Amino acid sequence: MAYFDHAATTPMLPEAIEAMTKALSTTGNASSLHTSGRRARRAVEEAREDIADALGTRPSEVVFTSGGTESDNLAVKGIYWARRTPSRRRIVASSVEHHAVLDTVQWLVEHEGAEVSWLEPDPLGRLRPEALHELLDDDVALVTVMWANNEVGTVNPVRELVAPAAARGIPFHTDAVQAVGALPVDFTESGASALTMTGHKIGGPYGVGVLLLGRDVATTPLLHGGGQERDVRSGTLDVPAVVALAAAVRHAVTEQLARAGELAALRDELVASVRRAVPDVVVNGDPEHRLPGNAHLTFPGCEGDSLLMLLDAKGIECSTGSACTAGVAQPSHVLLAMGVEPVLARGSLRFSLGHTSTTGEVRELAEVIGPVVERARTAGIAGMKRLAGSGGRTTAEV
Amino acid sequence: MRVLAAMSGGVDSAVAAARAVAAGHDVTGVHLALSAKPGTLRTGARGCCTIEDARDARRAADVLGIPFYVWDFAERFTEDVVEEFVAEYAAGRTPNPCLRCNERIKFEALLDKAIGLGFDAVCTGHYARLSTVDGRLELRRSADDGKDQSYVLASLTREQLAHAMFPLGDSTKAEVRVEAAERGLQVAEKPDSHDICFIPDGDTRGFLTRRLGEQPGLLVDDETGAVLGRHVGVHEFTVGQRKGLGIDAPAADGRPRYVLSLEPVTGTVRVGAAEKLAVTEIVAHRPVTRIDFDGPVECVAQVRAHGGLAPAVAELVDGELLVHLREPLSGVAPGQAVAVYRPDAAGDLVLASATIGSTR
């Protein structure tokens, strides 16, 4: 077995499981005023402090949510609604965002009178501050640009991207779901107004995440009710999930970050061994500014779903990118935005490594990838139009 | 054998896959996503109208304990089945999209991919019997007369059938449903699908009019040449059609009138009495034969998916299949297939299939 899908979800850390298990057997609503309630509240507040400390912010700026999708929705919709005026309705968003941001922005355009300017990436998937600067004006309600791309692994210059927005007083949200635990993330230092992170990508539980939200950033809540979380996110706090999340964050910003170099070396070994077997493999994304655990590869002449099935049958798990609800592999909107031909985009796989990855797993992949690619090439691009051929493209080599 | 089971989400393909597993094959399930919806924000993405069917197929695969994937054949399906369906109607013919889908998608695009990926066969839930006798592949009608699908498989070539597996051929639908329930497959009671899958509301006319627009023409009495009415396109009609002709005045003799022929170039639809529909000679193109046609062969001809049977003599002449019907059939529409069978107690044997070109 080789698991190369840590960017989708990564195994829970023992310390997170322990913290969660312990908390599951205690009772107490963190909003209750009695002893059990105070005990629960204390656990939540300690978790909040740990997370704030780990991510360079104040406890009051930590808002617990149900995960990355909710945090993205809360930031984008909440800040847009709070700042919307007849002359300020534009959102600037990168075109390579996760669908939790992309579809939220699109929904605001379709239903809430928003306008959008898409910030396009360069061929390496990187978003450029100069390009962002060009898009900003007084009518912009919000800028949202991810810290690091979940598909191709490109890391953006967040501080430099924040600067032109900050100069105009425009709130800047960043989806840092893939960045936390992989890169140093300091919310205050970044200058961002809001930052999304989630538990299950760093060894915490599913179903819990955080929106770091600057105290002065006006935000309209999505969920109304008991007024928890600064009245921005009502709902009884999931104490076991919150304490487990804090345990995972502590681990992520210490040990995982310390091992980022090792992880990158293992990733490079994976890429090198794949290239030995498949010399024409193309590495997508930015060779320099890159998540340590990400290898995004295009295998010309193959269909991603053929490769995925053949590797799966050999016990090797990876990803073709996103899939629709029914489970159809989609050509990555990120690659398309980077200018990759659709037929090549469909022949791409993401291998993402994490805290349990080993050289043994990389060796397993190295042993089978050659024959698997050969096999997939025989099967060809069956589902596509017969005319489809492979066109030219701009590529990066790691 | 390594078997790729095409799983639509219905009960038939689920039980077919289950039988392949039970027979000891190494089975992988795939659901084909065939419907393309224009992407909006998700550039290049396609919507899924098959979410429920995909889920049903996935749950059946879970119960069987086999790997399961959804593969995207929407582009090929659109090109080879939907576009051709529209083009055929526009040309005044009546296509059979299920037959085309078997020919071009399930046993061409999917089969090619399966073979390429190292599978030996594609397994489907079709009701037809396939066996090898003295090294020769024989395709026969299903044990369930009412569900028999040999007609829409009869045009598959020897190479295609050599890699096909139809585990339901010896069973009736009722038996299949019972077996599905016994195997714990949730789709046991799922209703049969009848409509053309890409026209889920069943409104073929509406679909064609949306695709082809209005191409008005005249409804003409075949005998007198009198104009009986106007229509919005020949694609609204099928030879043998009686209802929905939009003729206000009854015929002089008071008898019902039927569509006799379609002339797409002039937009003329000829109508007339039932007996003028009677056909005794069929010339059919692109024959696929399963036996050697050395001369005329006694057979039973079938001219549409359900019904339309008559004893006949078939022969190959200049690469076309000529079928002389011993009893006239009505509603024989160009574009449909004619399949010819040799009656047999073990299931009528498919001898040949071809596309109906002209009739007399």
Side-chain angles (χ1 to χ4, degrees), chain B residues 51-133:
Chain B
I51 291 170
E52 191 184 350
D53 287 335
R55 182 187 182 277
D56 287 342
R58 181 185 301 276
R59 296 293 297 135
D62 288 343
V63 170
L64 302 180
I66 59 174
F68 174 82
Y69 306 92
V70 182
W71 283 353
D72 183 0
F73 280 87
E75 282 188 18
R76 282 290 291 271
F77 185 77
T78 302
E79 189 181 18
D80 287 352
V81 179
V82 182
E83 294 305 322
E84 196 192 90
F85 178 84
V86 173
E88 284 287 284
Y89 265 105
R93 292 187 288 266
T94 307
N96 184 316
C98 301
L99 185 152
R100 195 65 71 222
C101 178
N102 287 329
E103 269 181 9
R104 299 282 178 77
I105 306 299
K106 294 196 184 90
F107 295 101
E108 187 176 298
L110 178 65
L111 180 60
D112 285 352
K113 180 165 175 170
I115 298 295
L117 291 175
F119 290 94
D120 303 300
V122 166
C123 163
T124 66
H126 284 113
Y127 286 83
R129 282 180 275 199
L130 188 60
S131 57
T132 308
V133 177

Side-chain angles (χ1 to χ4, degrees), chain B residues 117-180:
Chain B
L117 291 175
F119 290 94
D120 303 300
V122 166
C123 163
T124 66
H126 284 113
Y127 286 83
R129 282 180 275 199
L130 188 60
S131 57
T132 308
V133 177
D134 299 332
R136 197 168 190 126
L137 275 168
E138 293 189 341
L139 179 67
R140 293 171 187 275
R141 285 196 195 278
S142 149
D144 187 332
D145 271 343
K147 293 302 296 183
D148 174 57
Q149 288 171 307
S150 58
Y151 174 83
V152 290
L153 299 166
S155 66
L156 297 182
T157 64
R158 205 158 298 165
E159 293 71 33
Q160 288 174 308
L161 285 178
H163 297 287
M165 187 182 273
F166 308 132
L168 304 188
D170 287 318
S171 303
T172 64
K173 179 82 183 202
E175 290 164 358
V176 167
R177 285 200 183 278
V178 169
E179 183 175 332

Side-chain angles (χ1 to χ4, degrees), chain A residues 300-303 343 346-347 376-377 379-385 388, chain B residues 76 113:
Chain A
C302 297
E303 245 184 329
V343 68
R346 283 178 65 142
R377 280 195 179 135
I381 318 267
M384 295 193 80
K385 285 181 184 166
Chain B
R76 282 290 291 271
K113 180 165 175 170

Side-chain angles (χ1 to χ4, degrees), chain A residues 103 303 305 312 324 375 386, chain B residues 42 45 48 69 80 113 116:
Chain A
D103 289 32
E303 245 184 329
D305 59 11
D312 192 14
C324 79
R375 189 42 108 184
R386 293 203 193 84
Chain B
R42 302 175 186 225
C48 300
Y69 306 92
D80 287 352
K113 180 165 175 170

Side-chain angles (χ1 to χ4, degrees), chain A residues 83-328:
Chain A
R83 286 192 24 98
R84 172 176 57 178
T85 66
S87 60
R88 193 164 62 203
R89 297 184 293 124
R90 192 151 60 93
I91 298 171
V92 175
S94 94
S95 61
V96 294
E97 294 297 303
H98 187 276
H99 278 296
V101 169
L102 279 187
D103 289 32
T104 301
V105 170
Q106 189 69 30
W107 184 86
L108 289 171
V109 169
E110 285 166 9
H111 300 280
E112 290 293 315
E115 293 166 4
V116 60
S117 301
W118 297 111
L119 175 62
E120 297 295 342
D122 68 14
L124 303 181
R126 210 150 191 258
L127 299 158
R128 306 216 158 265
E130 316 84 77
L132 175 60
H133 181 80
E134 296 285 301
L135 296 174
L136 298 181
D137 209 335
D138 292 339
D139 66 333
V140 175
L142 166 74
V143 176
T144 177
V145 177
M146 67 205 322
W147 198 302
N149 188 271
N150 55 305
E151 293 193 30
V152 297
T154 299
V155 176
N156 290 308
V158 176
R159 274 180 70 181
E160 289 79 359
L161 286 160
V162 170
R168 288 182 173 272
I170 303 168
F172 185 105
H173 164 251
T174 184
D175 179 334
V177 160
Q178 299 290 339
V180 173
L183 309 163
V185 171
D186 188 305
F187 182 58
T188 306
E189 197 200 14
S190 76
S193 318
L195 179 149
T196 291
M197 66 137 321
T198 191
H200 73 109
K201 310 279 193 192
I202 58 166
Y206 301 97
V208 66
V210 159
L211 181 67
L212 299 183
L213 185 61
R215 281 171 304 172
D216 53 348
V217 182
T219 305
T220 303
L222 309 185
L223 301 181
H224 299 87
Q228 291 89 345
E229 301 301 280
R230 286 164 50 186
D231 219 2
V232 161
R233 202 280 187 181
S234 287
T236 300
L237 283 165
D238 182 343
V239 181
V242 162
V243 298
L245 173 64
V249 169
R250 282 195 299 269
H251 185 275
V253 302
T254 53
E255 289 166 56
Q256 283 181 43
L257 216 46
R259 288 189 51 217
E262 276 172 58
L263 193 62
L266 190 59
R267 184 269 322 275
D268 291 345
E269 191 184 321
L270 182 151
V271 172
S273 61
V274 169
R275 176 165 288 141
R276 273 194 294 277
V278 187
D280 61 345
V281 69
V282 176
V283 181
N284 301 299
D286 193 313
E288 191 186 342
H289 306 101
R290 184 177 198 93
L291 289 171
N294 175 289
H296 197 277
L297 309 176
T298 294
F299 298 89
C302 297
E303 245 184 329
D305 59 11
S306 295
L307 292 167
L308 186 136
M309 189 200 77
L310 293 167
L311 288 171
D312 192 14
K314 307 258 182 219
I316 292 168
E317 298 176 326
C318 61
S319 164
T320 49
S322 51
C324 79
T325 322
V328 179

Side-chain angles (χ1 to χ4, degrees), chain B residues 239-312:
Chain B
V239 169
Q241 178 179 334
R242 176 184 167 189
K243 289 180 181 161
L245 299 186
I247 304 173
D248 295 332
D253 55 9
R255 296 166 61 204
R257 284 176 291 209
Y258 297 82
V259 174
L260 301 180
S261 67
L262 306 170
E263 294 165 15
V265 177
T266 58
T268 305
V269 174
R270 297 193 173 275
V271 303
E275 60 266 22
K276 298 194 85 175
L277 273 176
V279 163
T280 53
E281 301 272 326
I282 297 171
V283 180
H285 311 309
R286 295 187 289 118
V288 174
T289 58
R290 321 217 80 85
I291 58 160
D292 299 326
F293 278 80
D294 296 334
V297 174
E298 288 287 336
C299 60
V300 171
Q302 181 173 347
V303 298
R304 55 181 164 267
H306 301 288
L309 292 167

